[in-house]
Amino acid sequence: MEKIIELKNVSKSFDGETVLDNISLTIYDNEFVTLLGPSGCGKTTTLRIIGGFEHADAGDVIFMGENVNDLPPHKRQVNTVFQKYALFPHLNVFENVAFPLRERKVPRAEINEKVHAMLKMVKLSGFANRKVTSLSGGQQQRVAIARALVNEPKVLLLDEPLAALDLKLRKDMQLELKKIQKETGITFIFVTHDQEEALSMSDTIVVMTDGTIQQIGTPTDIYNEPVNAFVADFIGESNIVDGIMPSDYVVSFSGQTFDCLDGGFAKNEPVDVVIRPEDVDIVPTQQGKLCGTVTSVTFKGVHNEAIVDINGFKWMIQTTDPVTVGSEIGIALEPDAIHIMKKSQYSEQFGDYSSFSDEIDELAEAEAEAEAEAEAEAEAEAEENAETDADAADDATEKGEAEQ
């Protein structure tokens, strides 16, 4: 595949705070790439640097072999769809889509052909003469996408364009965007913090946090082979426990030893062990290598989501088996359900689901304490006011008696 964009050692700071820390990334032609990470991780800044809306403090942006560090946005073969669609309210749908072509002084016949082709692609063929202010949020978004694509850019940047839509429409638009990307062959670079969105739409996912790239890979690779505890926790649910590798393909954790599929670690090297909730099998306690107590169960429609206390560590298990709070269960793990990761700066930060069973109780206790304190303060203030009123009444009585 042809390289279309390269970021080389790019860094960016705002007000002395590092937002991007020496990142490098290669994006290929006709690829759907998603920049995924929590708020503040640097993904939108990366997008804006690619689009020319921000300038990197250090590093290079290479577009089709040419350094574009100093090239303004309108001279890059890139268009952007923002979370706020920025449509022109005084123009109808046709004219909104036609606007970039009119700016380039494209012949009228060509404008008419291209606009109608774009409206057909985004399923708005009968909407050409509608006012954009009369459209739903999803329809306005389709107009914004059509306007961004009508110039046939090499790259389309999408900065969380689905965030304002309701869940069903959002899922519909995920499918539409992927279909449009394949039909046009244009490289899409999509920013989101929604893991499910990234997994369902992308050819390549770039997982970011703290201004750095943690992992680049296909959705399958990112989900099944996370490189560290942050990625494992951010992409779906994960039980992450401390382990030791006594030898290749053998790991010890939670007081037991298991076969696994990973090797290449030092003898007795401390590791992070990842087990996805859906990969845990519930068995009778006498058959389980690990046993625990069910502390909570949430019905999720297709499956039950159980939190299980195993030696003081809270596991999440997703199962279609019936489970009840307070019951004792055993769990079994196949070798391919166990993924081994090297220790990282994110070790010990993720993977225990104690908050699922304790956090609400803790919040309730804190709220009760706050209410009790507020009531005590109110009572004290009422007593003080009563004393003040009593003193004032006594003074008034004494004054009246003196006047008589």
Side-chain angles (χ1 to χ4, degrees):
M1 289 189 294
E2 180 187 3
K3 292 180 183 179
I4 193 164
I5 293 173
E6 293 178 86
L7 302 181
K8 295 184 176 181
N9 307 113
V10 169
S11 295
K12 180 68 178 178
S13 297
F14 293 105
D15 299 324
E17 181 178 349
T18 300
V19 177
L20 292 177
D21 187 7
N22 195 37
I23 70 166
S24 294
L25 173 65
T26 300
I27 296 171
Y28 295 91
D29 193 24
N30 194 18
E31 188 177 25
F32 197 121
V33 178
T34 297
L35 307 181
L36 174 68
S39 297
C41 71
K43 56 188 184 294
T44 293
T45 301
T46 301
L47 197 79
R48 290 178 62 81
I49 287 174
I50 292 172
F53 303 107
E54 298 284 356
H55 293 281
D57 297 334
D60 296 304
V61 180
I62 310 298
F63 190 91
M64 298 182 68
E66 177 187 355
N67 189 306
V68 295
N69 282 10
D70 299 320
L71 204 65
H74 67 276
K75 291 189 177 181
R76 303 187 186 196
Q77 296 182 59
V78 173
N79 275 347
T80 305
V81 177
F82 297 101
Q83 186 173 334
K84 295 182 178 179
Y85 312 131
L87 301 176
F88 302 113
H90 62 289
L91 300 179
N92 63 19
V93 169
F94 183 98
E95 291 301 330
N96 263 277
V97 178
F99 184 81
L101 300 177
R102 296 201 190 284
E103 287 288 293
R104 287 171 43 204
K105 303 190 184 307
V106 173
R108 180 178 298 178
E110 186 177 345
I111 289 175
N112 192 63
E113 180 183 350
K114 287 190 171 185
V115 170
H116 283 293
M118 279 296 112
L119 291 179
K120 182 178 180 180
M121 178 176 289
V122 299
K123 297 183 178 179
L124 290 177
S125 293
F127 289 74
N129 296 318
R130 296 273 190 95
K131 293 182 178 179
V132 293
T133 53
S134 70
L135 303 182
S136 67
Q139 291 166 342
Q140 289 184 16
Q141 184 197 58
R142 292 169 188 265
V143 175
I145 292 169
R147 184 178 64 184
L149 291 174
V150 76
N151 265 339
E152 300 177 359
K154 292 293 292 183
V155 176
L156 184 65
L157 309 178
L158 301 109
D159 188 6
E160 301 205 54
L162 309 184
L165 304 180
D166 63 60
L167 181 61
K168 186 177 185 305
L169 185 54
R170 186 170 184 158
K171 289 185 177 296
D172 289 344
M173 283 307 302
Q174 289 171 11
L175 297 174
E176 285 299 315
L177 279 176
K178 184 64 178 174
K179 180 181 177 183
I180 290 168
Q181 190 270 326
K182 290 304 180 187
E183 285 183 7
T184 60
I186 293 172
T187 298
F188 279 25
I189 306 177
F190 187 90
V191 162
T192 185
H193 61 270
D194 187 312
Q195 303 94 321
E196 183 181 346
E197 197 163 77
L199 290 169
S200 64
M201 298 172 67
S202 314
D203 298 318
T204 301
I205 297 175
V206 181
V207 184
M208 301 181 67
T209 190
D210 301 326
T212 61
I213 294 174
Q214 298 296 311
Q215 186 172 0
I216 302 172
T218 66
T220 302
D221 289 342
I222 295 287
Y223 188 83
N224 292 330
E225 299 292 333
V227 296
N228 60 36
F230 172 81
V231 177
D233 182 77
F234 195 77
I235 303 291
E237 305 289 354
S238 297
N239 301 292
I240 307 174
V241 297
D242 292 329
I244 297 288
M245 291 289 288
S247 63
D248 284 351
Y249 315 118
V250 177
V251 61
S252 296
F253 60 89
S254 301
Q256 297 290 339
T257 299
F258 298 82
D259 294 331
C260 65
L261 303 181
D262 294 285
F265 295 87
K267 183 177 177 60
N268 293 325
E269 180 178 346
V271 293
D272 286 333
V273 182
V274 178
I275 299 103
R276 296 289 188 184
E278 67 270 21
D279 293 333
V280 180
D281 294 324
I282 294 178
V283 296
T285 53
Q286 62 270 25
Q287 296 177 21
K289 291 192 77 169
L290 297 175
C291 296
T293 304
V294 178
T295 61
S296 73
V297 178
T298 304
F299 178 63
K300 293 290 187 177
V302 177
H303 64 266
N304 292 308
E305 191 171 86
I307 305 301
V308 182
D309 188 323
I310 300 176
N311 299 327
F313 190 95
K314 301 291 176 55
W315 287 55
M316 175 186 283
I317 298 175
Q318 294 172 349
T319 178
T320 56
D321 297 334
V323 285
T324 57
V325 174
S327 62
E328 297 290 324
I329 63 168
I331 68 170
L333 298 168
E334 295 295 327
D336 61 359
I338 301 169
H339 174 68
I340 311 301
M341 304 181 305
K342 286 188 173 291
K343 287 288 185 180
S344 71
Q345 68 187 94
Y346 302 104
S347 299
E348 319 297 337
Q349 296 182 27
F350 306 101
D352 182 353
Y353 286 91
S354 296
S355 61
F356 274 68
S357 55
D358 298 338
E359 186 176 9
I360 292 176
D361 292 338
E362 291 173 2
L363 290 172
E365 289 174 6
E367 185 176 353
E369 289 176 4
E371 289 178 355
E373 288 178 5
E375 287 177 4
E377 289 177 1
E379 288 177 3
E381 184 177 352
E383 289 177 4
E384 184 178 343
N385 290 339
E387 290 176 3
T388 302
D389 292 343
D391 290 341
D394 290 343
D395 289 344
T397 301
E398 290 175 3
K399 183 178 179 182
E401 291 174 351
E403 289 176 351
Q404 290 177 358

